[in-house]
Amino acid sequence: AHAESGKPVDRMASYTADQLERVKQVLVVPPMVPAHDQVAKGKPKVVEVRLHVEEKQIELENGTKAWVCAFNGSVPGPLIVCHQHDYVELTLVNPKTNTLAHNIDLHAATGALGGGELTLVSPGEEVTFRFKAIKVGTFVYHCAPGGVMIPWHVVMGMNGAIMVLPREGLSDGDGNNLTYDKAYYIGEQDFYIPQNEQGQYKAYDTVLGSMNETLEVMKTLTPSHVVFNGAVGALTGQNSMTAKLGETVLFVHSQANRDTRPHIIGGHGDYVWNTGSFSDRPSQNLETWHIAGGSAGAALYTFKQPGLYVYVNHNLIEAIMKGAAGHIKVDGEWNDDLMTQVSKPSPIKS
Amino acid sequence: AHAESGKPVDRMASYTADQLERVKQVLVVPPMVPAHDQVAKGKPKVVEVRLHVEEKQIELENGTKAWVCAFNGSVPGPLIVCHQHDYVELTLVNPKTNTLAHNIDLHAATGALGGGELTLVSPGEEVTFRFKAIKVGTFVYHCAPGGVMIPWHVVMGMNGAIMVLPREGLSDGDGNNLTYDKAYYIGEQDFYIPQNEQGQYKAYDTVLGSMNETLEVMKTLTPSHVVFNGAVGALTGQNSMTAKLGETVLFVHSQANRDTRPHIIGGHGDYVWNTGSFSDRPSQNLETWHIAGGSAGAALYTFKQPGLYVYVNHNLIEAIMKGAAGHIKVDGEWNDDLMTQVSKPSPIKS
Amino acid sequence: AHAESGKPVDRMASYTADQLERVKQVLVVPPMVPAHDQVAKGKPKVVEVRLHVEEKQIELENGTKAWVCAFNGSVPGPLIVCHQHDYVELTLVNPKTNTLAHNIDLHAATGALGGGELTLVSPGEEVTFRFKAIKVGTFVYHCAPGGVMIPWHVVMGMNGAIMVLPREGLSDGDGNNLTYDKAYYIGEQDFYIPQNEQGQYKAYDTVLGSMNETLEVMKTLTPSHVVFNGAVGALTGQNSMTAKLGETVLFVHSQANRDTRPHIIGGHGDYVWNTGSFSDRPSQNLETWHIAGGSAGAALYTFKQPGLYVYVNHNLIEAIMKGAAGHIKVDGEWNDDLMTQVSKPSPIKS
Ligand SMILES: [Cu+2]
Ligand SMILES: [Cu+2]
Ligand SMILES: [Cu+2]
Ligand SMILES: [Cu+2]
Ligand SMILES: [Cu+2]
Ligand SMILES: [Cu+2]
Ligand SMILES: [Mg+2]
Ligand SMILES: [Mg+2]
Ligand SMILES: [Mg+2]
Ligand SMILES: [Mg+2]
Ligand SMILES: [Mg+2]
Ligand SMILES: [Mg+2]
Ligand SMILES: [Mg+2]
Ligand SMILES: [Mg+2]
Ligand SMILES: [Mg+2]
């Protein structure tokens, strides 16, 4: 009695992993996104990815340090990209130099805590597991080793996202294909850095040493920092995102814990999958889109004007005072028809 | 000039209450859901329900006490189920042993503060009122006796939900019927328990005695606890939800005050009505769904793997440190095609 | 490769500003909305609006003062209304009596920080700029003069909204026109008023004098007040919204910074554009709708019962204890079929 029963059989869903070609995906540091086909070619593939965990101290903002647990060393971890019906074969490596056990729960996977149950590795160990990508969309992955380790590792940055594209690519819901010229992956992270009595952020010698006081701040549900890609300013200046006039950019945005609300200052979301589900018709022409904590969403925008765009979480306190802002520099020629300064700032008339 | 004007007349909407059969609905303690037909049979009915209010102290978590005001003694109150065009005739009983006035505002009802105006009863009184269920969906109900009593009673657990099914049952929006094998009702509740100077949660001798200090904590907008079904662990261990492989489960989730974001660890929302509106096309294949404070949503999932699933509010601090987590135990045979451990945890190669 | 490429050319989009009639829009104090056509007549227009900025102290609630920066003197600023393909030519005036620089970023505009770059004016200056309204929906506008001035000016009330209607008016997504008998604009504002050691709200002699302590409160992400239209009670009593039985009312609701969740106690959202996008099919029959911080949404409701409706942000702590509640008084004759008191409050039977 399930709606699926009436659907035609999808032949691409019926292969098993051993019948398919294997490809290694070269993962890259966000906001970059791995090279990928938007429309799948041929049969599904077994996509092999390797993630290692780095426990390390980073500089969150001028002199403020934070301990992070980072998939492949970055906060967020790298975006993985595949198509529906592909298998993802993931090796998780926990180097001997680490002190904590880690695992991976992928929201794209089905069963066994999204992989969390089959991937728990102690320092010095690695594990390989495979899952079939049956659901399309952008999905969070994160460490979930049990108990308070779950929220603590997640707010130490141990999360990333996977994008499972429909085999035929993205669509506007009216049968029209949607494509992009480039893609960026923004991972938003709430940090809960303890302060001393003078209100200065505290640094800790070891990751475990930072735990108890960090958990106390976490209970307030009030982050000290909310940042994109691991640090205040990680996507500004030299590290700004870029585009050319007329280019269509896909922005994948994940938040593994708290709600967020992306907005492009001066731009829009032409097509937005705020839940990340590519099964659903995208919303159109949004000023701001809401992404629930524990999910990754996606938005397409075709730039119509050159200049500097600021990409923010539009809780402006979080954007400006806590760090959730990045830049997009767009090259091209200004269009006075869309916007023009009719008269410059000048003394008030009348 | 209203869109409704073009619609064909719905004959089922045109009966009056005195023309219809009356049925008493046997309410059950959540997460259980009353026995009900998914597709309505015959004409609408007058569904009679009886709710009494219990003011009592409960154990929220090992030794932490909270005063609650509980419809039929449970937090949340029982799920009421009916179909569109049914009348709900509700008797609200405020036992003489209580100390406060109470009423009921049902978001499914139209006019008079959702019933709040017609149902205010002092200790020792009962009242009966009737409304017609003209809107389909899952809707919160809650006590709303005026002024600060409104938020206070609501965060003391005095809320529940009603599900108004379309007469023809649920649909995927493409004309296909959606059915479920079983249903569960999860009521999420934020508590604001005051602490003493040592940081220990305080207990109070009387419900009124707890009011002023609780209101002070409420002003921080930061709950001390966020729990499912009235206590930390109320849906785990012996009280876990259950399903069998291949079964489709409907999860109704209400939050009368704060936003939440349900997620099934290792599963998905195959079909999700996050606003609770069964008039709207459900979203598909969600990792996490956002439910606004003051609403009840619904999600359908067909379990594809056996094992333990954790159902959480995916603010993981709220889930793990504040209590918003439950379990679903699913029986059946593991499917290696969907997920498999390729190689066990072992020393790092290379 | 963009979905738009397949669409028929919209001739109404192809005019330039100098070919079009100019009209001055008379702006009004919210919750009122400027007189406007729901369906556009003839060709697009150049809509001229003039906004000045008032820096002033207001009474937020019995004796509690707040410094605000207010477009045209009101919090929120006035709703601007136009149709798609219209040009909006906006003059921003910063009177010499002010002390701060201000500008305007309109989420409806494309490029140059939504106009923020071209409109920065010092006290004593005015500036005029023009943009083309290419996106349909309800959109926030706000001051964004750079750095912490951005969140600070926004939470001092310096925001409002613009409604860009489809030329053919609103639609239910099935080709049926949706119209309204009247419209109201509710601007929700979070305030962060510092307290002294006795917990009393502090007042400041100058707007700049209030800055540092206000920024400290802002970092807690916990507002002291959340109000509609500039003050606790601004939409109650004599200032209540009104409607007649059978009238359809459009409620535009903006929140420039924090998420909110409007709800009509005793009513519904018959048709809701929670993101504000009139390109999207509206949701139907909602109990509560979620509006992301940094956006404006819209809801249509046809009143079916007379009486008092309370319009709230359904975080009931924010509604009742922080101020986010207003009233709608509806005249007409009660319909017992929709709701009736079967038996009055009386001693408990049985
Ligand atoms: Cu970890
Ligand atoms: Cu998760
Ligand atoms: Cu009550
Ligand atoms: Cu309510
Ligand atoms: Cu300003
Ligand atoms: Cu903005
Ligand atoms: Mg699944
Ligand atoms: Mg939110
Ligand atoms: Mg997603
Ligand atoms: Mg109604
Ligand atoms: Mg929210
Ligand atoms: Mg899953
Ligand atoms: Mg609902
Ligand atoms: Mg644009
Ligand atoms: Mg909007």
Side-chain angles (χ1 to χ4, degrees):
Chain A
H2 209 270
E4 282 177 10
S5 58
K7 291 182 190 164
V9 172
D10 183 348
R11 208 167 47 84
M12 287 297 170
S14 63
Y15 294 99
T16 56
D18 58 354
Q19 300 172 311
L20 299 172
E21 188 191 348
R22 305 177 74 88
V23 291
K24 281 191 208 308
Q25 182 155 102
V26 179
L27 299 175
V28 294
V29 179
M32 299 310 166
V33 164
H36 64 275
D37 295 319
Q38 295 183 41
V39 175
K41 292 175 182 149
K43 289 195 270 186
K45 295 182 168 53
V46 179
V47 178
E48 298 177 4
V49 294
R50 192 174 172 88
L51 292 173
H52 68 276
V53 184
E54 296 186 18
E55 298 172 3
K56 63 180 179 184
Q57 221 174 6
I58 56 134
E59 187 162 24
L60 197 47
E61 186 183 12
N62 315 320
T64 299
K65 307 267 186 167
W67 277 95
V68 297
C69 297
F71 286 111
N72 281 10
S74 64
V75 175
L79 187 75
I80 301 166
V81 181
C82 69
H83 286 89
Q84 192 182 25
H85 310 316
D86 285 349
Y87 292 81
V88 177
E89 192 166 303
L90 188 151
T91 297
L92 181 66
V93 182
N94 190 354
K96 208 164 54 177
T97 44
N98 282 345
T99 59
L100 304 167
H102 300 285
N103 68 356
I104 188 164
D105 161 5
L106 296 112
H107 291 184
T110 299
L113 304 177
E117 205 173 287
L118 304 180
T119 59
L120 192 68
V121 275
S122 297
E125 289 182 337
E126 67 173 51
V127 67
T128 300
F129 93 120
R130 189 172 66 221
F131 70 93
K132 187 167 183 172
I134 61 174
K135 302 285 191 182
V136 292
T138 52
F139 299 92
V140 161
Y141 65 75
H142 60 86
C143 186
V148 294
M149 290 288 151
I150 301 173
W152 185 42
H153 287 221
V154 169
V155 304
M156 278 199 294
M158 203 168 171
N159 59 79
I162 176 168
M163 176 162 70
V164 183
L165 287 164
R167 298 195 71 73
E168 63 283 9
L170 299 178
S171 149
D172 70 353
D174 281 327
N176 300 300
N177 208 232
L178 293 172
T179 61
Y180 42 91
D181 297 302
K182 64 196 303 184
Y184 283 115
Y185 169 40
I186 295 102
E188 180 176 326
Q189 184 64 55
D190 41 328
F191 282 97
Y192 300 82
I193 310 298
Q195 292 171 270
N196 65 19
E197 284 172 18
Q198 286 73 48
Q200 294 160 325
Y201 290 114
K202 295 178 74 168
Y204 297 89
D205 290 339
T206 63
V207 60
L208 261 171
S210 73
M211 185 176 76
N212 285 337
E213 293 184 328
T214 302
L215 291 176
E216 287 307 307
V217 182
M218 288 162 67
K219 281 187 203 161
T220 67
L221 297 173
T222 308
S224 59
H225 300 76
V226 181
V227 304
F228 293 158
N229 294 35
V232 177
L235 299 179
T236 62
Q238 291 288 99
N239 302 312
S240 295
M241 298 175 279
T242 62
K244 293 198 189 77
L245 196 66
E247 276 189 335
T248 298
V249 182
L250 181 73
F251 296 95
V252 176
H253 189 121
S254 68
Q255 225 299 6
N257 192 55
R258 281 177 96 238
D259 294 346
T260 185
R261 47 208 74 66
H263 169 91
I264 301 169
I265 305 184
H268 297 90
D270 286 336
Y271 295 91
V272 178
W273 298 266
N274 76 301
T275 66
S277 172
F278 294 141
S279 311
D280 290 337
R281 183 190 190 82
S283 298
Q284 290 188 41
N285 303 321
L286 300 194
E287 53 179 332
T288 299
W289 44 105
H290 188 264
I291 295 179
S295 63
L300 266 189
Y301 186 57
T302 304
F303 285 91
K304 295 176 185 64
Q305 291 279 34
L308 184 79
Y309 291 79
V310 188
Y311 182 104
V312 293
N313 165 345
H314 206 296
N315 179 309
L316 294 168
I317 302 172
E318 299 183 15
I320 308 298
M321 299 177 69
K322 305 250 174 195
H327 289 167
I328 310 155
K329 290 180 181 161
V330 178
D331 281 338
E333 215 167 312
W334 183 260
N335 176 355
D336 265 328
D337 182 52
L338 280 178
M339 187 185 288
T340 191
Q341 198 178 44
V342 176
S343 64
K344 285 190 202 301
S346 58
I348 298 171
K349 300 168 195 97
S350 83
Chain B
H2 209 269
E4 282 177 10
S5 59
K7 291 182 189 165
V9 172
D10 184 348
R11 208 166 47 84
M12 287 297 169
S14 62
Y15 294 99
T16 56
D18 57 354
Q19 300 172 311
L20 299 172
E21 187 191 349
R22 305 178 75 87
V23 291
K24 281 190 206 309
Q25 182 156 101
V26 179
L27 299 175
V28 294
V29 180
M32 299 310 164
V33 163
H36 64 274
D37 295 320
Q38 295 182 42
V39 176
K41 291 175 182 149
K43 290 193 268 185
K45 294 181 169 53
V46 178
V47 179
E48 298 178 4
V49 295
R50 192 175 173 88
L51 292 173
H52 69 276
V53 183
E54 295 186 17
E55 298 172 2
K56 62 181 181 185
Q57 221 175 7
I58 56 134
E59 187 161 23
L60 198 46
E61 183 184 15
N62 315 320
T64 300
K65 307 267 185 165
W67 277 96
V68 296
C69 297
F71 284 112
N72 281 9
S74 65
V75 175
L79 187 74
I80 301 166
V81 182
C82 69
H83 285 89
Q84 192 180 24
H85 309 319
D86 286 349
Y87 292 81
V88 177
E89 191 165 304
L90 189 150
T91 298
L92 181 66
V93 181
N94 190 355
K96 209 164 55 178
T97 45
N98 283 345
T99 59
L100 304 167
H102 301 286
N103 68 356
I104 188 164
D105 161 5
L106 296 112
H107 291 184
T110 298
L113 305 176
E117 205 173 286
L118 304 181
T119 59
L120 192 68
V121 276
S122 297
E125 288 182 337
E126 67 173 50
V127 67
T128 299
F129 93 120
R130 189 171 66 220
F131 71 93
K132 187 168 184 172
I134 62 173
K135 301 286 191 181
V136 292
T138 52
F139 299 92
V140 160
Y141 64 77
H142 61 84
C143 186
V148 294
M149 290 289 149
I150 300 174
W152 185 43
H153 288 221
V154 168
V155 304
M156 278 199 294
M158 203 166 171
N159 59 80
I162 177 169
M163 175 162 69
V164 183
L165 288 164
R167 298 196 70 73
E168 62 284 8
L170 299 177
S171 149
D172 70 354
D174 281 327
N176 301 300
N177 206 233
L178 292 171
T179 61
Y180 42 92
D181 297 303
K182 63 197 305 185
Y184 283 116
Y185 168 40
I186 295 101
E188 180 175 328
Q189 183 64 57
D190 41 329
F191 282 97
Y192 301 81
I193 311 296
Q195 293 172 269
N196 66 19
E197 284 172 16
Q198 286 74 47
Q200 293 160 324
Y201 290 114
K202 295 177 76 169
Y204 297 88
D205 289 339
T206 62
V207 60
L208 262 171
S210 74
M211 184 176 78
N212 285 338
E213 293 184 328
T214 302
L215 291 175
E216 287 306 308
V217 182
M218 288 162 66
K219 281 188 203 161
T220 68
L221 297 173
T222 308
S224 58
H225 299 77
V226 181
V227 304
F228 293 158
N229 294 36
V232 177
L235 298 179
T236 61
Q238 291 287 102
N239 302 313
S240 295
M241 298 175 278
T242 63
K244 293 198 190 75
L245 197 67
E247 277 189 336
T248 298
V249 182
L250 180 74
F251 296 95
V252 175
H253 189 121
S254 67
Q255 226 300 6
N257 193 55
R258 281 176 96 238
D259 294 345
T260 186
R261 46 207 76 65
H263 169 91
I264 301 170
I265 305 183
H268 296 90
D270 287 337
Y271 295 92
V272 178
W273 299 266
N274 75 302
T275 65
S277 173
F278 294 141
S279 312
D280 290 337
R281 184 189 190 82
S283 298
Q284 290 188 42
N285 303 320
L286 300 195
E287 52 180 332
T288 299
W289 44 106
H290 187 264
I291 295 179
S295 63
L300 265 189
Y301 186 56
T302 303
F303 286 91
K304 295 176 184 64
Q305 289 280 32
L308 184 79
Y309 290 78
V310 188
Y311 182 104
V312 293
N313 165 345
H314 206 297
N315 179 310
L316 294 167
I317 303 172
E318 298 183 15
I320 308 297
M321 299 176 70
K322 305 251 175 195
H327 290 164
I328 310 156
K329 290 179 180 161
V330 178
D331 281 338
E333 215 167 312
W334 183 260
N335 177 353
D336 265 329
D337 183 52
L338 280 179
M339 186 185 289
T340 191
Q341 197 179 44
V342 176
S343 63
K344 285 188 200 305
S346 58
I348 298 170
K349 300 168 195 96
S350 86
Chain C
H2 210 272
E4 280 176 13
S5 58
K7 292 182 189 166
V9 171
D10 183 348
R11 207 166 48 83
M12 288 296 168
S14 62
Y15 294 98
T16 56
D18 57 354
Q19 300 171 309
L20 299 172
E21 186 192 348
R22 304 177 75 88
V23 291
K24 281 191 208 307
Q25 182 156 102
V26 179
L27 299 174
V28 294
V29 180
M32 300 310 164
V33 163
H36 64 275
D37 294 320
Q38 296 183 40
V39 176
K41 292 175 181 148
K43 289 195 267 186
K45 295 182 167 51
V46 179
V47 178
E48 299 178 4
V49 294
R50 192 176 172 88
L51 292 173
H52 68 275
V53 183
E54 296 185 19
E55 299 172 3
K56 63 180 179 184
Q57 221 175 7
I58 56 134
E59 187 161 24
L60 198 46
E61 187 184 10
N62 316 318
T64 299
K65 308 265 186 167
W67 276 95
V68 297
C69 296
F71 285 112
N72 280 11
S74 64
V75 176
L79 188 74
I80 301 166
V81 182
C82 69
H83 286 89
Q84 192 181 25
H85 309 318
D86 285 350
Y87 293 81
V88 177
E89 192 165 302
L90 187 150
T91 298
L92 181 65
V93 182
N94 190 355
K96 208 165 55 177
T97 45
N98 283 344
T99 60
L100 304 167
H102 301 285
N103 68 357
I104 187 164
D105 161 5
L106 296 111
H107 291 184
T110 298
L113 305 178
E117 205 172 287
L118 304 181
T119 58
L120 192 67
V121 275
S122 297
E125 289 182 337
E126 68 172 50
V127 66
T128 299
F129 93 120
R130 188 172 64 221
F131 71 93
K132 187 167 183 173
I134 62 174
K135 303 285 192 182
V136 292
T138 53
F139 300 91
V140 160
Y141 64 76
H142 60 85
C143 186
V148 296
M149 288 288 150
I150 301 174
W152 184 43
H153 287 221
V154 169
V155 305
M156 279 199 293
M158 203 168 169
N159 59 80
I162 176 169
M163 176 162 69
V164 183
L165 287 164
R167 298 195 70 73
E168 63 284 9
L170 300 177
S171 147
D172 69 354
D174 281 326
N176 301 300
N177 206 232
L178 292 172
T179 61
Y180 42 92
D181 298 302
K182 63 196 303 184
Y184 283 116
Y185 169 39
I186 295 102
E188 181 176 328
Q189 183 65 56
D190 42 327
F191 281 97
Y192 301 82
I193 310 297
Q195 293 172 268
N196 66 18
E197 284 172 18
Q198 285 74 46
Q200 294 160 322
Y201 290 114
K202 295 178 75 169
Y204 297 89
D205 289 340
T206 64
V207 61
L208 262 171
S210 73
M211 184 176 77
N212 285 338
E213 294 184 328
T214 302
L215 291 175
E216 287 306 308
V217 181
M218 287 163 66
K219 281 188 203 160
T220 67
L221 297 173
T222 308
S224 58
H225 300 76
V226 182
V227 304
F228 293 157
N229 293 37
V232 177
L235 298 178
T236 61
Q238 291 288 101
N239 302 313
S240 295
M241 297 175 279
T242 62
K244 292 199 190 76
L245 196 67
E247 278 189 336
T248 298
V249 182
L250 180 74
F251 296 95
V252 175
H253 189 121
S254 68
Q255 224 300 5
N257 192 54
R258 282 177 95 237
D259 295 344
T260 185
R261 47 208 73 68
H263 168 91
I264 302 169
I265 305 184
H268 297 90
D270 286 337
Y271 295 92
V272 178
W273 299 265
N274 76 301
T275 65
S277 173
F278 294 141
S279 311
D280 290 337
R281 182 190 191 82
S283 299
Q284 290 188 39
N285 302 320
L286 300 194
E287 53 180 331
T288 300
W289 43 106
H290 188 264
I291 294 178
S295 63
L300 264 190
Y301 186 56
T302 304
F303 285 91
K304 295 176 185 64
Q305 290 279 33
L308 183 81
Y309 291 78
V310 188
Y311 183 104
V312 292
N313 165 346
H314 206 297
N315 180 310
L316 294 168
I317 303 172
E318 298 183 15
I320 308 296
M321 299 176 70
K322 306 252 175 193
H327 289 165
I328 311 156
K329 289 180 182 162
V330 179
D331 280 338
E333 215 167 312
W334 182 260
N335 176 355
D336 266 327
D337 182 52
L338 281 178
M339 185 184 289
T340 190
Q341 199 181 41
V342 176
S343 63
K344 286 188 199 304
S346 58
I348 298 170
K349 299 169 193 96
S350 81

